[in-house]
Amino acid sequence: MKILGYILSFLLFGFIAWQFYSAYSNKKFENKEHQFLGSISYVNFKIYNQYTLASVKMKGKSLNDANGKFSLLANYIFGGNSDKKQIPMTSPVIYNMSNHATFSFIMPYNYKVSNLPLPNSQEISFKTEKNQCIATIEFSGFASNKNCKENYLKLLEVLNINNISHSNDYMIAVYNPPYQIINRKNEIWIEVNKDEVIKKVDIK
């Protein structure tokens, strides 16, 4: 029994160490190329000057509709492309919850549509966003349809109270891989009017 206890303790320690390592190492994948504008209450506002998305279409507006799409994009950045080139992984992954819902990887900042290798899969498309002003609300844990909708409505409430024009669609940004349990980070993004935000935010 004592040996079994040692084994279980060792496995538990190894699992905890792995989780902390995953939380630390994942930070290097984060795409931080943005300008922070300020905040209102628990809502932050920032501008992404430019980034390029590799995307696949989802059948609906549920997180479950992205099942199987991760592997398509992962295959592309791991060499499943015309140049057989590996492309560094970045964070977050993006679920666009519009009428044309998509699941996307953000490409490294030095890539644009013009210099990305062609995908082997016809399901993958590319789009570059420029000067995108977004309102964000952050939450922890695993993203689910329920907590994403709850945080979307909280974010929407702040925007409407402060009369900030916004898109009717929203995006879910997930920063951590599925195997990471601790220190998880997610955000809801809504595109907003930059000029209105600058007049209203608390600059930090």
Side-chain angles (χ1 to χ4, degrees), residues 2-148:
K2 187 177 290 187
I3 294 176
L4 178 60
Y6 286 142
I7 293 173
L8 291 176
S9 297
F10 176 78
L11 291 175
L12 179 61
F13 174 80
F15 176 77
I16 294 172
W18 178 52
Q19 288 295 313
F20 275 102
Y21 173 77
S22 297
Y24 171 77
S25 62
N26 188 63
K27 291 181 179 179
K28 69 182 179 181
F29 299 120
E30 290 188 19
N31 190 322
K32 293 182 178 295
E33 298 296 318
H34 67 266
Q35 175 190 354
F36 179 72
L37 292 179
S39 61
I40 298 175
S41 186
Y42 44 77
V43 174
N44 292 324
F45 298 86
K46 53 189 177 182
I47 295 176
Y48 281 95
N49 294 325
Q50 181 171 301
Y51 65 91
T52 298
L53 295 166
S55 305
V56 288
K57 292 181 179 179
M58 293 164 49
K59 293 181 179 179
K61 295 184 181 181
S62 167
L63 290 173
N64 296 331
D65 291 318
N67 289 344
K69 304 302 182 182
F70 185 97
S71 59
L72 275 174
L73 293 175
N75 179 65
Y76 171 72
I77 67 170
F78 293 151
N81 54 66
S82 58
D83 297 344
K84 297 182 179 179
K85 184 175 184 178
Q86 292 198 6
I87 300 170
M89 181 74 179
T90 67
S91 177
V93 298
I94 305 293
Y95 299 80
N96 189 324
M97 298 306 195
S98 68
N99 289 330
H100 305 284
T102 57
F103 174 70
S104 307
F105 283 4
I106 296 177
M107 298 292 95
Y109 71 92
N110 56 314
Y111 282 100
K112 301 177 179 64
V113 175
S114 59
N115 65 352
L116 279 165
L118 296 174
N120 291 343
S121 171
Q122 294 183 352
E123 291 188 52
I124 299 174
S125 61
F126 303 99
K127 179 183 179 182
T128 297
E129 296 283 0
K130 294 183 178 180
N131 299 317
Q132 184 184 48
C133 185
I134 60 172
T136 74
I137 184 171
E138 183 178 327
F139 61 103
S140 59
F142 285 90
S144 67
N145 292 314
K146 181 180 178 181
N147 60 19
C148 286

Side-chain angles (χ1 to χ4, degrees), residues 155-168:
L155 176 51
L156 208 58
E157 182 179 26
V158 171
L159 297 179
N160 289 335
I161 288 174
N162 289 276
N163 296 312
I164 296 175
S165 302
H166 56 81
S167 168
N168 291 323

